[in-house]
Amino acid sequence: KVDRHGFVYMDTPGYDPVSLTGLVAGGCNVLAFTTGRGSAIGFASVPVIKIATNSFTYRRMIENMDINAGKIADGEGTVEQVGREIFDFVLRVASGHKTRSEILGHQEFVPWRIGPVM
């Protein structure tokens, strides 16, 4: 469990549902989740901001993605510009703006499994 205020980095497993569940259990209030293949994960208790790492996935799943970070690889935006977009979106979500997963009602929760996770 997080025991201080401010930015905290948590090292979690790589399997999306388990990783995000661990972050939420640790006290995370907003999740900024990057996806290349289009994971449609969401939680009932914590907003999940889905950031597509490529424009193909963003366009293919536009109703489920919040931000297109693929603009960087496409030459349509810089790391600084997309970083600012993500930061500003996190602030809006923390102030009550709904994420795509909240609007669509995606609510996924996966408890920790006993043993290795593949």
Side-chain angles (χ1 to χ4, degrees), residues 1 10 15 17 39 41 47 57 75 81 88-89 92 100 107 114-115 118:
K1 182 116 176 111
M10 293 178 72
Y15 179 52
S39 180
I41 194 164
T57 296
Q81 289 167 334
D88 290 343
F89 196 79
R92 286 200 324 268
R100 296 286 185 159
Q107 300 174 1
I114 306 235
M118 304 278 192

Side-chain angles (χ1 to χ4, degrees), residues 4 12 26 44 49 58 63-65 69 100 102 107 109:
R4 64 192 62 128
T12 65
I49 299 167
Y58 181 78
E63 74 287 345
N64 205 327
M65 296 293 131
R100 296 286 185 159
E102 290 176 295
Q107 300 174 1
F109 179 80

Side-chain angles (χ1 to χ4, degrees), residues 10-23:
M10 293 178 72
D11 186 13
T12 65
Y15 179 52
D16 300 344
V18 177
S19 174
L20 297 182
T21 301
L23 290 169

Side-chain angles (χ1 to χ4, degrees), residues 30-32 47-51 65-67 82-100 102-103:
V30 175
L31 294 165
V48 179
I49 299 167
K50 285 188 283 255
I51 304 164
M65 296 293 131
D66 296 294
I67 294 173
V82 174
R84 173 49 79 173
E85 182 181 353
I86 293 167
F87 180 79
D88 290 343
F89 196 79
V90 168
L91 292 180
R92 286 200 324 268
V93 168
S95 298
H97 180 84
K98 299 285 186 201
T99 65
R100 296 286 185 159
E102 290 176 295
I103 292 166

Side-chain angles (χ1 to χ4, degrees), residues 58-80:
Y58 181 78
R59 284 189 302 272
R60 184 172 50 90
M61 299 183 70
I62 197 162
E63 74 287 345
N64 205 327
M65 296 293 131
D66 296 294
I67 294 173
N68 179 15
K71 293 185 287 190
I72 298 167
D74 297 340
E76 297 173 4
T78 66
V79 170
E80 292 79 12

